[in-house]
Amino acid sequence: MNLRTALLTACLALAAWPAVAAQLMSAPVAVATPQESAGLVARLTALDARQGLTNDYSFRISSQHPGVTGQKITRAQHTYKGLRVLGSESVVVTNAAGDIVSVSVADRRPGLTPQASTPGGAPPAPPLPTGADLTPTIGTDEAIRIAVQAIAPGGTHRWPPTAELLIYPVMKTVRTAAAGDKPEEQLNALDLQEVVDRYQLSYLVQLRMAQDSKLIYYDVVVSARDGAIIAQWPALQTVVGSGNSQYNGVVPISTSATASGFQMLDSARGSGGKFGGMAITNADHSSPNNPDPGAIYTNSSNTWGDGQQYNGGSTTNANGQTAAVNALWGLMNTYDTNRNVLGWQSLDGNNTATYIAAHVGTSYDNAFYDDSCRCMYIGDGNSFTSLGAIDVIGHEMSHGVTAATADLIYSGESGGLNESNSDIGGEMVEAYARNGGTGSVVPAAGNDWMMGKEISRSGEPLRWMYKPHKDGSSPDAWSTSLKNLDVHYSSGPNNRMFYFLSQGSKADPASDYYSAYLTRTPAAMTGIGNDKAYRIWFKALTTKFTSATNYADARNKVLLAAQELYGATSKEAIAVQRAYAAINVGADIDEEGGGGGDGEAVERVTNGGFETGVTGWSGATGVIGAHSGQSAYEGTRFAWLGGNGRRSTEMLTQQVQIPATASSAQLSFALHIDSAETTRSTAYDTLVVALRSASGTAIATLATYSNLAPAAGYQTRSFDLLPYKGQTVTLSFAMREDRSRQTSFVLDKVSLLTR
């Protein structure tokens, strides 16, 4: 055993996520003190310093919310020379002691190159901005004026406009080396990667305006050098378009007593906020271009509404109350779904109360979530009926959850994922509510997988989650043009992914539930149900997604969430891979048991967790043990390759057999990389994962990892080895370090499951 170089991470508790699917989110977390925030920034900066980054690079804490019990999630924006780099951030999970458990990163900082896991990788990073590049020539007022002139010159400000000076990474899409010659129509989402083309000093101008009975909410990126508009995207998150509820019959609603009767204030759900609890207010036809939420609904008795569509008369009589009943029942069930199933309290996880204002405008065909007030507004409809249906409420309130967590940029693929998260939330709330609104799981059925069907006068929903293209505009699968669509349409493929993940697919090409991208066995993938699908998705959203997450990144992070909850080779993790493959994001794989229970999984790796020492392994077996300075992914032992800080090579191997009759063969392992190297461009230290023949001849290189991809915690990796069925192969993990500055490749939980 070589003496390891002292590491900063030796004092960090880089614990693995326990594979327990029923974990609940913590109770609301206290906002960090300035000292606590500074301490976390210092630790993140120290990790950067190990990679040779100067004090030009730092972090800015942007939000905090609960993680699973005993953990906190902090979002840290990346800064360069004191300026935020838009879309570049770290999602940091810490335990009760403040130790870093895991970090999910989207790194777009100047001078840093995206790291590919295989040769051929990303192109060089653009040059660092100079001092002149970071000196604005226009001020904030001028930037706001330019943005207003471009978006709504005749509009009025509903909320004061803001302009933040920052560094805007102008992105471009490049092909991976393996996809260089692929025809455009054959490209998969994982064949492309987004890299920084150039940096521009810019203002992010946020306009929250109104004009001609319309709310005009836009984020506009204005060059701070010449005033040119670089990018813009809408920021208003809409659906587009015992009480007697309109859609659900007689439903129980939670109200509060007053001196003269009752009010629609639910003090049992949420605290603080504008009204001190969850509330429904009467906007009483307040103009949609500057709606006033009005006062909380009151009534002399505790029986509300007549269950009928609003007829245009009084907003306070029984008919006018029905829209408020719809809203309160929807708000209660949205709160209860996330609280009882996930432990997540209200929109922000910290139990801050929200409210919904009913009767906005006159015959207003919209409902929207406004993050400026963290509230929702509902119109009475014209082409639609009242927009307070259960899935619409769940959809809009889920925008609030997104705003409090990943804050997905409302444009391109990230905007589509933002909308998709709300559609997913709407459907899960509908399933929960339709089955009585109680219990700790999302019921397996009850939702219709059609967004807004109840509010449609024609019976046609806004969106079909299982077959998005039925609306004529939403694609069923990812393509290179997806990022150019309106976010309500670019949400389509991910909606379909979630449907397949929950409900499975069909093998009949004529079916709406069929995907031609599912080419492995069985042709009809098996779903894992609403409850597990929602837990996986919510974990990825809250602990891994960043504001710039696209479809390829989402697939990898949803898969990681499934592996952490249920295991690296679990049926749930396989279902995630198949569901994303069904929308052309990643490759399809064979299902465990062929989908029909006709075979048991067999573990082909001996002692893959290293808990029985060197059993089964050959080569530099001295790297196996319970060494101080690193921690195991599971159990107490692991294999620590590297970490020597001098020229060295270490290899671990194990011979395995893949039966000729195998229908699936999945290799997986957990890998943690940390490094003292200071470069961000040269791979000095590497770990090559390969297959070799019995004689030692290389058959295939599965991946190459290096000092360029350190991470604060284990990452799980998986590979399809079915092409090698009928062969006896040797798994090889070969580490090489150069003459100085250590890189550690810590390996655990190696598994090869065949069926």
Side-chain angles (χ1 to χ4, degrees):
M1 176 69 187
N2 294 320
L3 182 64
R4 307 287 171 178
T5 305
L7 303 174
L8 174 67
T9 49
C11 63
L12 297 180
L14 300 174
W17 288 87
V20 179
Q23 289 176 320
L24 296 180
M25 293 294 193
S26 301
V29 298
V31 176
T33 65
Q35 294 79 9
E36 290 170 335
S37 293
L40 180 58
V41 167
R43 275 175 285 159
L44 293 172
T45 303
L47 290 172
D48 269 359
R50 288 171 43 224
Q51 304 173 47
L53 301 188
T54 67
N55 58 10
D56 286 340
Y57 299 89
S58 190
F59 300 85
R60 182 184 301 163
I61 304 301
S62 60
S63 66
Q64 293 182 319
H65 56 79
V68 297
T69 300
Q71 296 179 345
K72 179 186 291 186
I73 301 167
T74 302
R75 292 178 179 269
Q77 298 168 340
H78 297 165
T79 64
Y80 178 72
K81 292 185 179 292
L83 296 173
R84 178 162 72 104
V85 182
L86 188 65
S88 189
E89 59 196 89
S90 296
V91 185
V92 187
V93 180
T94 52
N95 62 20
D99 301 317
I100 295 176
V101 175
S102 70
V103 181
S104 177
V105 180
D107 205 333
R108 295 180 171 181
R109 292 176 288 182
L112 308 183
T113 306
Q115 167 64 18
S117 62
T118 55
L128 286 168
T130 65
D133 294 330
L134 298 180
T135 303
T137 57
I138 67 171
T140 56
D141 290 345
E142 177 64 6
I144 290 171
R145 186 197 68 77
I146 291 170
V148 169
Q149 187 64 31
I151 300 300
T156 58
H157 294 292
R158 183 159 187 262
W159 303 98
T162 61
E164 177 191 2
L165 184 66
L166 48 69
I167 296 172
Y168 182 71
V170 179
M171 307 301 292
K172 65 179 179 182
T173 302
V174 298
R175 295 187 180 207
T176 63
D181 297 325
K182 266 192 177 183
E184 178 84 9
E185 64 274 11
Q186 294 181 15
L187 288 174
N188 183 284
L190 270 59
D191 289 331
L192 305 178
Q193 60 184 140
E194 289 188 321
V195 298
V196 178
D197 183 47
R198 64 189 187 280
Y199 294 98
Q200 291 198 242
L201 184 69
S202 305
Y203 289 101
L204 175 62
V205 180
Q206 296 188 310
L207 302 177
R208 304 298 182 257
M209 305 178 70
Q211 184 176 6
D212 299 330
S213 298
K214 286 179 59 179
L215 291 176
I216 303 175
Y217 284 22
Y218 261 81
D219 291 343
V220 187
V221 181
V222 179
S223 170
R225 303 285 295 162
D226 60 14
I229 292 181
I230 301 169
Q232 62 185 50
W233 54 86
L236 187 64
Q237 298 169 342
T238 74
V239 301
V240 184
S242 84
N244 294 297
S245 75
Q246 183 171 346
Y247 303 114
N248 309 287
V250 178
V251 295
I253 54 175
S254 180
T255 59
S256 302
T258 66
S260 57
F262 299 88
Q263 61 178 344
M264 283 193 172
L265 177 66
D266 182 0
S267 57
R269 293 174 175 85
S271 60
K274 184 176 178 66
F275 297 105
M278 299 294 189
I280 309 301
T281 67
N282 182 8
D284 198 20
H285 305 307
S286 175
S287 173
N289 71 356
N290 193 21
D292 181 346
I296 298 176
Y297 258 95
T298 60
N299 198 30
S300 58
S301 75
N302 209 14
T303 299
W304 305 75
D306 65 359
Q308 302 301 310
Q309 167 67 17
Y310 176 63
N311 61 23
S314 169
T315 57
T316 58
N317 65 12
N319 180 249
Q321 292 168 2
T322 299
V325 172
N326 297 339
L328 182 54
W329 191 68
L331 184 56
M332 289 167 53
N333 276 284
T334 300
Y335 182 96
D336 289 352
T337 300
N338 289 333
R339 173 64 181 89
N340 297 343
V341 174
L342 302 168
W344 185 262
Q345 299 186 43
S346 193
L347 306 183
D348 59 2
N350 286 322
N351 208 36
T352 305
T354 185
Y355 64 92
I356 299 176
H359 296 299
V360 173
T362 301
S363 302
Y364 184 51
D365 263 332
N366 207 353
F368 61 89
Y369 172 79
D370 188 342
D371 198 47
S372 301
C373 60
R374 293 176 173 81
C375 65
M376 180 180 173
Y377 291 89
I378 296 175
D380 295 317
N382 182 23
S383 299
F384 299 112
T385 55
S386 175
L387 281 92
I390 185 68
D391 56 352
V392 175
I393 301 288
H395 173 105
E396 293 303 332
M397 292 290 101
S398 292
H399 276 307
V401 176
T402 301
T405 57
D407 200 20
L408 289 156
I409 295 171
Y410 207 54
S411 175
E413 290 191 20
S414 61
L417 293 171
N418 189 318
E419 273 297 312
S420 180
N421 175 68
S422 284
D423 283 352
I424 290 168
E427 288 300 304
M428 297 301 95
V429 170
E430 182 178 21
Y432 193 79
R434 299 279 188 236
N435 286 274
T438 60
S440 60
V441 299
V442 179
N447 58 306
D448 58 13
W449 299 102
M450 292 180 283
M451 278 301 303
K453 188 175 188 301
E454 288 176 319
I455 66 174
S456 171
R457 292 187 185 273
S458 68
E460 294 284 297
L462 294 171
R463 288 182 289 282
W464 287 262
M465 294 187 71
Y466 57 87
K467 183 68 172 177
H469 193 60
K470 288 172 76 72
D471 68 11
S473 300
S474 301
D476 291 337
W478 178 92
S479 71
T480 55
S481 63
L482 188 67
K483 63 184 178 182
N484 301 321
L485 298 178
D486 178 276
V487 295
H488 296 91
Y489 303 140
S490 60
S491 62
N494 198 75
N495 282 352
R496 193 172 210 224
M497 178 286 301
F498 190 83
Y499 175 85
F500 286 147
L501 180 61
S502 173
Q503 302 294 300
S505 69
K506 303 294 185 185
D508 180 4
S511 170
D512 283 343
Y513 309 95
Y514 169 79
S515 170
Y517 294 102
L518 291 176
T519 58
R520 303 297 285 266
T521 303
M525 71 162 285
T526 305
I528 59 175
N530 283 341
D531 188 69
K532 287 183 176 179
Y534 192 42
R535 291 179 191 278
I536 291 169
W537 175 259
F538 198 87
K539 181 179 177 69
L541 174 80
T542 55
T543 69
K544 303 186 187 305
F545 282 15
T546 65
S547 61
T549 288
N550 61 12
Y551 267 70
D553 189 42
R555 180 261 186 196
N556 294 335
K557 288 175 177 175
V558 173
L559 174 58
L560 185 58
Q563 291 170 330
E564 290 173 353
L565 284 172
Y566 299 103
T569 56
S570 63
K571 66 179 182 181
E572 293 82 6
I574 290 172
V576 167
Q577 294 173 79
R578 299 210 74 195
Y580 270 106
I583 63 164
N584 197 31
V585 181
D588 193 19
I589 62 173
D590 285 322
E591 214 168 89
E592 286 190 342
D598 56 350
E600 293 299 324
V602 177
E603 176 61 75
R604 300 292 171 179
V605 172
T606 300
N607 186 30
F610 305 105
E611 294 306 305
T612 57
V614 302
T615 303
W617 295 97
S618 300
T621 54
V623 302
I624 297 171
H627 311 297
S628 61
Q630 293 286 353
S631 59
Y633 179 76
E634 288 183 355
T636 59
R637 291 183 172 86
F638 48 90
W640 187 350
L641 296 130
N644 304 296
R646 58 178 174 77
R647 293 190 189 279
S648 57
T649 59
E650 294 164 348
M651 180 186 292
L652 274 183
T653 63
Q654 182 170 147
Q655 193 174 86
V656 294
Q657 184 181 38
I658 306 175
T661 56
S663 61
S664 66
Q666 285 292 303
L667 171 68
S668 65
F669 53 84
L671 179 65
H672 167 53
I673 305 173
D674 61 46
S675 180
E677 295 286 3
T678 59
T679 180
R680 292 289 297 183
S681 60
T682 305
Y684 289 121
D685 310 318
T686 59
L687 176 71
V688 178
V689 183
L691 299 181
R692 298 180 178 276
S693 67
S695 63
T697 304
I699 298 174
T701 297
L702 301 178
T704 300
Y705 306 100
S706 75
N707 53 280
L708 297 178
Y714 281 93
Q715 305 291 315
T716 54
R717 315 287 183 175
S718 60
F719 303 88
D720 180 13
L721 300 192
L722 192 62
Y724 308 99
K725 69 179 181 179
Q727 301 182 43
T728 297
V729 298
T730 298
L731 297 177
S732 170
F733 299 89
M735 183 284 307
R736 178 189 62 80
E737 276 187 294
D738 76 339
R739 60 186 175 81
S740 65
R741 291 183 174 157
Q742 71 84 30
T743 299
S744 294
F745 302 95
V746 188
L747 182 69
D748 203 354
K749 202 175 181 182
V750 183
S751 173
L752 174 59
L753 286 179
T754 67
R755 285 189 180 271

